[in-house]
Amino acid sequence: MTVPFLPRQSASSEDDLTVTILDVGHGNSAIVRDGQRCAVVDAADDTTHAELERLGCTDLEEVIVSHVDNDHIAGMNKLLLDPRWSLGRVRVNADASKDTRAWRHLQETLQLVSDDKRITGILPVYTDTGLPIRVGRAELEVCHPRSLMALSGPRTRDARFGTVTSNTMSAVIRIHLDGAAAVLLASDIDGVGLRDILERRSQQLCADVLVFPHHGGLPGAMNPVEFARSLTSAVGPRMVIFSMGTSGRTANPRPEIIEGVRAAAPGAHIACTQLSAHCQEVGSPPLPEGHLSEAMARGRSASRCCAGSIVITRTQNGFQYVPPLPRHSEFVLALASGAEAGTLPLCRAGASPIPNPSTGGSIR
């Protein structure tokens, strides 16, 4: 897929220390940036490439592939083959059970850039390599999988773990900005993988932002409400993001997932990158999108963004969000105002009221 390139907008300050959760539709991609030094975790389409170009990125020091499904790697080849930025290490959570065209193509690309000495190494994504992943003042911590699970690979049944699938082994990455736990990228982790993490790490998953796994879809055999409650309790997020699209192939996030998130974090701000099918039908009149960040966003051209691409910046006073949480809440409020009587956007289910600026009252 090719993202529509918009007119170049002014990039952020060179000194910014940020994580951008990109709106790539049904997929995942995040950019970690300290000035012009960058890392990328997954690249679902050309949106990642376009955003790095907009930012004027020069040093792509770390590239991480958390999971080799197409919605994590489809944009990775263009990223690695672009000669405009220097490359460092590439870390891949390989999966021998997959035999897709996208995965084979990425393997060939990795061999090519390695032969040409464009990268300094291809490394695994395990918890226990003993090697910190740092990009300037940012650190990317691998929380899952541990090598014992990764080396055994997906299989129908494992006596130590249970049923291990490709999703079970998705790499979970926690991003620290200047020492503060900013974002947990949970990839496509399922209930078996979550259990293994929690048995080893207890409450050591905390982060200000949780990018929820599998786009808010079902977590394998585990009860989805319990899965969402357990993960959210362990992370304790201020904000929960669902990276998802409105292509019609799925109806994420699932209501039972939202129920579990709300049970564990009733005050958390929930944001979908694009409008959920639960909240607005495709073809409905677009709403003003003045709240969106300047970052590239796949849903923008079709007015399908909800929060769009979300930028988390480390400041002296903590974390700053773009779009600002109140402005995103106002967008959701406008969405709710146009809904049928008695219906609400899914993210507002069970939430505390937000102010209604037009009436002085509140809405759930």
Side-chain angles (χ1 to χ4, degrees):
M1 294 184 293
T2 301
V3 68
F5 280 73
L6 301 178
R8 184 180 177 88
Q9 304 174 47
S10 59
S12 302
S13 164
E14 290 186 357
D15 296 327
D16 278 354
L17 180 60
T18 67
V19 181
T20 301
I21 309 303
L22 284 168
D23 165 22
V24 291
H26 184 89
N28 287 94
S29 183
I31 296 174
V32 182
R33 185 171 68 89
D34 184 0
Q36 295 307 304
R37 303 173 66 180
C38 296
V40 167
V41 182
D42 295 335
D45 65 5
D46 290 352
T47 308
T48 311
H49 187 276
E51 178 62 7
L52 289 170
E53 182 181 68
R54 187 188 74 86
L55 291 169
C57 175
T58 56
D59 298 308
L60 193 51
E61 297 183 14
E62 296 280 354
V63 175
I64 297 177
V65 176
S66 75
H67 188 46
V68 301
D69 276 359
N70 193 61
D71 58 353
H72 294 249
I73 64 171
M76 194 62 73
N77 297 292
K78 183 173 182 178
L79 196 72
L80 294 173
L81 293 171
D82 194 314
R84 287 178 294 176
W85 41 69
S86 61
L87 298 175
R89 289 168 293 271
V90 180
R91 302 172 193 263
V92 183
N93 188 18
D95 185 350
S97 72
K98 290 288 174 68
D99 186 27
T100 64
R101 180 178 179 182
W103 178 215
R104 291 195 301 271
H105 191 187
L106 180 55
Q107 292 175 58
E108 293 166 0
T109 296
L110 289 170
Q111 187 65 64
L112 178 63
V113 295
S114 178
D115 290 345
D116 289 348
K117 309 298 183 186
R118 289 202 59 227
I119 58 176
T120 57
I122 302 173
L123 303 172
V125 188
Y126 303 159
T127 61
D128 36 12
T129 61
L131 301 173
I133 307 173
R134 295 196 177 98
V135 176
R137 294 168 291 167
E139 180 174 348
L140 292 83
E141 174 193 6
V142 181
C143 302
H144 180 80
R146 52 178 166 150
S147 59
L148 182 63
M149 178 182 286
L151 293 173
S152 62
R155 57 181 64 194
T156 303
R157 182 78 183 175
D158 188 294
R160 296 160 295 185
F161 307 113
T163 301
V164 177
T165 70
S166 294
N167 285 350
T168 307
M169 291 175 48
S170 297
V172 176
I173 310 291
R174 183 164 64 159
I175 301 168
H176 303 258
L177 298 180
D178 203 17
V183 179
L184 187 81
L185 303 173
S187 192
D188 282 352
I189 194 77
D190 64 7
V192 175
L194 177 61
R195 183 178 66 242
D196 190 60
I197 297 173
L198 296 182
E199 286 176 353
R200 292 180 294 106
R201 298 180 59 92
S202 184
Q203 297 298 308
Q204 298 177 44
L205 289 179
C206 64
D208 211 61
V209 175
L210 167 63
V211 181
F212 204 88
H214 210 213
H215 324 287
L218 294 176
M222 187 174 181
N223 178 278
V225 177
E226 182 56 33
F227 174 84
R229 182 189 295 118
S230 297
L231 175 59
T232 307
S233 294
V235 178
R238 180 184 175 193
M239 184 179 194
V240 179
I241 297 173
F242 293 93
S243 182
M244 46 148 295
T246 52
S247 64
R249 56 188 285 194
T250 57
N252 291 337
R254 299 283 297 230
E256 53 266 55
I257 292 292
I258 298 295
E259 179 184 344
V261 169
R262 281 288 178 223
H269 186 95
I270 293 177
C272 297
T273 53
Q274 291 191 18
L275 290 164
S276 169
H278 296 289
C279 303
Q280 189 184 53
E281 294 182 359
V282 175
S284 299
L287 294 170
E289 295 182 329
H291 63 293
L292 297 179
S293 73
E294 291 186 342
M296 302 299 294
R298 172 159 288 281
R300 195 194 308 258
S301 62
S303 297
R304 295 307 300 165
C305 288
C306 187
S309 293
I310 300 161
V311 184
I312 300 105
T313 303
R314 181 80 160 101
T315 72
Q316 291 182 341
N317 299 319
F319 295 112
Q320 180 182 48
Y321 305 91
V322 180
L325 304 191
R327 292 192 66 187
H328 178 247
S329 292
E330 290 174 5
F331 176 83
V332 172
L333 179 65
L335 193 68
S337 298
E340 296 179 6
T343 65
L344 287 174
L346 191 61
C347 63
R348 298 307 307 162
S352 57
I354 56 176
N356 185 334
S358 63
T359 65
S362 61
I363 184 167
R364 286 190 176 271

